[in-house]
């Protein structure tokens, strides 16, 4: 049997084909609960061609200023986690191609729970049941061989928000400009105040036109963050429409947890891009 040195083995492993991970469709992709409506259901659908296993876990995450998320092992000032208040079932499941499964989620909210917005994230991780692996092994007992197993895994993270008490939020739009270091990106600066997060769509409409030239859906600013830079990648044709023009930028609520204000203009700015 030929012996593969360590580097050759690594290259072979990385070049080997890996079966595609299951395509997981989840609805809804954001959950807001209250003491009055403390339970909900998620629908999972395997859109892939392989039977897949899914594992579900609760994580605490924090939003960075650029909108990305990072692990949050401990809470910061003004930050409230919901991990110890959430129950869900099942915790793991197997779905055949095209099959669907309901995951039930419930929040516990004792009557003396302090007012505020509690948030954690539900992570759904998948891997094909057929193993989804490619194994490269050297000769047993040699020091310069390596056994590697590649597993295709896909995960989706869903914010789980528990709102307790009368909460409010206000947003201002402070600036908008084409990114100097990345001309295909536009950066919009939002500032939030209040006791809950905001969630909505950001639209870009050229002065004098009725229809937006571009729309970014699902922009959130989570508590305790007070500001966020919304980084918007722009296709070349859209950038050409916006560059050098006066543009009205609107941040409009689409927060299903605040149905009375869906469609409300949260913030707006007229800017020369």
């Amino acid at each position: 049997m030929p012996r593969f040195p360590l580097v050759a083995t690594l290259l072979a492993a990385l070049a080997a084909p890996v079966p595609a991970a299951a395509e997981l469709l989840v609805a809804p992709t954001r959950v807001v609960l209250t003491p009055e409506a403390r339970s909900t259901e998620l629908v999972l659908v395997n859109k892939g061609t392989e039977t897949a296993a899914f594992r579900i876990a609760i994580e605490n995450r924090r939003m960075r200023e650029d909108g990305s998320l990072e692990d949050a092992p401990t809470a910061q000032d003004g930050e409230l986690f919901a991990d110890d208040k959430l129950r869900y079932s099942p915790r793991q499941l197997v779905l055949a191609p095209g099959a669907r499964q309901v995951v039930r989620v419930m929040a516990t909210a004792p009557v003396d729970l302090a007012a505020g917005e509690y948030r954690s994230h539900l992570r759904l991780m998948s891997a094909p049941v057929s193993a989804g692996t490619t194994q490269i092994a050297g000769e047993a007992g040699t020091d310069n061989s390596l056994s590697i197993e590649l597993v295709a895994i896909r995960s989706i993270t869903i914010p789980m928000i528990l709102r307790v008490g009368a909460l409010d939020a206000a947003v201002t739009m402070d600036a908008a400009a084409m990114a100097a270091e990345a001309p295909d990106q536009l950066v919009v600066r939002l500032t939030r105040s209040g006791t809950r997060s905001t969630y909505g769509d950001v639209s870009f409409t050229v002065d004098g036109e009725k229809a937006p030239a571009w729309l970014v859906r699902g922009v959130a600013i989570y508590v305790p963050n007070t500001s966020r830079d919304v980084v918007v990648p722009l296709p070349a044709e859209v950038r050409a429409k916006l560059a050098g023009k006066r543009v009205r930028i609107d941040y409009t609520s689409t927060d299903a947890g605040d149905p009375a204000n869906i469609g409300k203009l949260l913030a707006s700015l007229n800017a020369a891009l």
Side-chain angles (χ1 to χ4, degrees):
M1 176 183 293
R3 295 184 178 183
F4 289 94
L6 176 61
V7 174
T9 305
L10 282 170
L11 291 175
L14 294 174
V18 179
E23 296 288 343
L24 178 62
L25 176 66
V26 183
T29 56
R30 177 175 175 271
V31 169
V32 179
L33 302 171
T34 68
E36 295 74 31
R38 64 178 68 185
S39 65
T40 191
E41 293 181 345
L42 302 177
V43 178
L44 281 60
V45 181
N46 182 359
K47 302 293 289 184
T49 58
E50 296 182 58
T51 296
F54 299 90
R55 184 166 61 87
I56 306 174
I58 293 287
E59 299 179 346
N60 292 326
R61 313 207 77 190
R62 180 175 300 124
M63 177 175 278
R64 298 187 182 99
E65 199 166 87
D66 63 1
S68 61
L69 296 174
E70 63 183 0
D71 291 337
T74 58
Q76 294 181 344
D77 289 344
E79 189 171 35
L80 301 170
F81 294 143
D83 55 331
D84 61 344
K85 299 167 183 63
L86 295 172
R87 304 289 182 269
Y88 56 95
S89 178
R91 293 177 178 265
Q92 55 188 13
L93 58 142
V94 176
L95 288 178
R100 65 177 55 205
Q101 171 75 48
V102 170
V103 176
R104 293 175 175 82
V105 181
M106 177 177 290
T108 58
V111 293
D112 58 346
L113 184 62
E117 183 174 277
Y118 300 78
R119 174 179 52 84
S120 292
H121 292 250
L122 195 73
R123 178 175 289 277
L124 302 102
M125 293 163 284
S126 69
V129 168
S130 58
T133 63
T134 299
Q135 186 166 322
I136 306 295
E139 184 177 0
T142 63
D143 292 332
N144 62 350
S145 63
L146 179 67
S147 178
I148 293 178
E149 186 178 74
L150 301 182
V151 182
I153 296 177
R154 174 162 299 175
S155 68
I156 296 175
T157 301
I158 300 172
M160 310 294 293
I161 297 169
L162 172 62
R163 289 177 177 163
V164 179
L167 309 178
D168 59 8
V171 185
T172 60
M173 192 177 296
D174 304 322
M178 296 292 182
E181 68 283 1
D184 60 338
Q185 292 181 347
L186 173 62
V187 181
V188 178
R189 181 73 168 182
L190 297 174
T191 299
R192 182 199 65 83
S193 61
T195 51
R196 65 172 175 80
S197 62
T198 62
Y199 184 82
D201 297 343
V202 178
S203 62
F204 302 83
T205 306
V206 176
D207 191 26
E209 298 186 3
K210 293 183 178 180
W214 197 243
L215 180 67
V216 181
R217 298 189 184 276
V219 175
I221 312 175
Y222 292 132
V223 176
N225 298 59
T226 57
S227 60
R228 174 176 173 180
D229 287 332
V230 183
V231 181
V232 183
L234 294 174
E237 64 273 15
V238 175
R239 185 184 185 282
K241 288 182 181 179
L242 300 179
K245 307 287 180 60
R246 288 206 66 83
V247 177
R248 188 183 78 249
I249 308 170
D250 293 334
Y251 182 35
T252 305
S253 177
T254 58
D255 188 349
D258 185 20
N261 288 314
I262 287 182
K264 177 183 177 180
L265 183 63
L266 299 174
S268 187
L269 178 70
N270 281 288
L273 302 180

